[in-house]
Amino acid sequence: MYMIAATLSLVIGWACIKTAGDRLPTAELVFLRSGVGLPLLIPIARLRAGSLWGHNIKLLILRGLAGCLGMICVFYGMTHLSMGDASVLLNTFPLFVALLAPFLLKEPTHPRVFLFAVIAFIGVAFIVKPSADIINVPAFVGLAGGFLVALAMIAVRKLRATENTWVITLWFTTIVAAGSLIPTLFNFVMPTMGEWLMMIIAGLILTLSQVFVTKAYGFAAASVIAPFAYAAVLWSYGLDILIWKFEPDMWSIIGSSIIILSSLGNMFFARKPCIRTGATS
């Protein structure tokens, strides 16, 4: 339920980002998204955790850097591709998580998980459509975003053993804001009132999504939780149709179906989900 809530929040935030990104630079979008949530996170984190200083500083920083670069890639893809296609490229991160988790997290997994991951990447190819007009810089940047987000999620899984949810989220938001500040200063575009509104909504709801994601990865194994992120693909294509009047073609529909079915198979064969009853932040 936490992961479903996180993906729904993500899609709403992405829609705001895509709308504001028609005119604003990518780095500025990233900075505004983080800057909106930071003033709210500091007092909440102090109240809930008692201290803003984490225990595993190195991993908190690495998670923040991976998340910062991943967010830049994701926002770039969102503003240069259709929302549905950009969402699919981002949501390769559960595939990367499933492939990397056994090695980086030492989580038990079924060998068929790797087979389902390969099948799901075939589905990605149906959506990306390897041709001259699709395989371009935004597509590759979006795919890189998926990989970087996977590294960040794996770091979250490790951090949940020692860190409070709000501390993890605060460090992530702070590092993203600091990392995107310099390029924003060199290429700042004054937002309109409508763009300010979009970014305020995006900042608040994407910050909430980070909290949901952090809690989700604290309750179950990464390979079990990650496939639920694919709900965002369906919702993104739905907003493409409702807001931007863009309808996915048959190849995208086939590819999305392959990915979702592969993810369900991945979830079914993932062994020992490691659910911790009564886990708290």
Side-chain angles (χ1 to χ4, degrees):
M1 293 303 296
Y2 275 127
M3 198 62 181
I4 292 173
T7 56
L8 180 58
S9 301
L10 277 175
V11 171
I12 297 173
W14 291 340
C16 295
I17 293 296
K18 185 172 180 62
T19 301
D22 287 339
R23 198 177 68 92
L24 301 181
T26 300
E28 185 173 342
L29 293 174
V30 173
F31 176 75
L32 292 175
R33 172 258 180 267
S34 303
V36 168
L38 194 56
L40 296 176
L41 278 173
I42 293 175
I44 294 175
R46 182 178 293 277
L47 178 64
R48 296 297 301 273
S51 173
L52 304 181
W53 197 255
H55 299 88
N56 193 338
I57 304 300
K58 180 179 179 180
L59 191 56
L60 283 168
I61 293 175
L62 289 176
R63 189 264 172 160
L65 292 176
C68 180
L69 293 175
M71 188 180 295
I72 291 174
C73 292
V74 169
F75 282 14
Y76 183 86
M78 284 291 167
T79 56
H80 289 79
L81 298 168
S82 74
M83 188 168 169
D85 287 346
S87 175
V88 171
L89 291 173
L90 166 62
N91 279 285
T92 56
F93 88 82
L95 306 178
F96 289 120
V97 168
L99 293 174
L100 295 174
F103 305 102
L104 299 181
L105 296 178
K106 308 302 181 183
E107 292 180 350
T109 188
H110 196 285
R112 293 183 188 179
V113 168
F114 297 96
L115 174 61
F116 283 120
V118 172
I119 294 174
F121 275 117
I122 295 174
V124 171
F126 274 98
I127 295 173
V128 175
K129 303 175 190 68
S131 59
D133 60 335
I134 295 295
I135 297 298
N136 50 30
V137 172
F140 280 114
V141 171
L143 190 61
F147 178 76
L148 289 166
V149 169
L151 293 179
M153 292 300 98
I154 288 175
V156 167
R157 177 64 179 164
K158 286 189 173 183
L159 286 168
R160 282 288 289 153
T162 60
E163 308 296 341
N164 179 276
T165 297
W166 293 98
V167 171
I168 297 173
T169 306
L170 175 63
W171 274 73
F172 166 77
T173 305
T174 302
I175 292 173
V176 170
S180 57
L181 175 59
I182 295 178
T184 296
L185 292 176
F186 280 97
N187 192 27
F188 181 75
V189 176
M190 179 59 68
T192 64
M193 289 299 296
E195 290 165 346
W196 275 116
L197 178 61
M198 289 294 100
M199 293 310 302
I200 290 173
I201 295 174
L204 293 175
I205 201 165
L206 290 176
T207 298
L208 182 62
S209 176
Q210 284 294 318
V211 174
F212 287 146
V213 168
T214 303
K215 283 186 173 292
Y217 276 85
F219 277 97
S223 57
V224 175
I225 291 297
F228 284 97
Y230 285 113
V233 175
L234 300 178
W235 292 329
S236 294
Y237 278 124
L239 289 184
D240 267 338
I241 296 172
L242 291 175
I243 299 177
W244 291 280
K245 309 303 179 184
F246 173 84
E247 296 186 7
D249 57 23
M250 184 58 65
W251 294 112
S252 293
I253 294 174
I254 293 174
S256 297
S257 300
I258 291 174
I259 292 172
I260 292 171
L261 291 174
S262 299
S263 298
L264 292 175
N266 185 355
M267 180 179 62
F268 178 78
F269 282 103
R271 299 184 301 175
K272 299 180 181 178
C274 305
I275 295 186
R276 306 203 311 271
T277 303
T280 65
S281 61

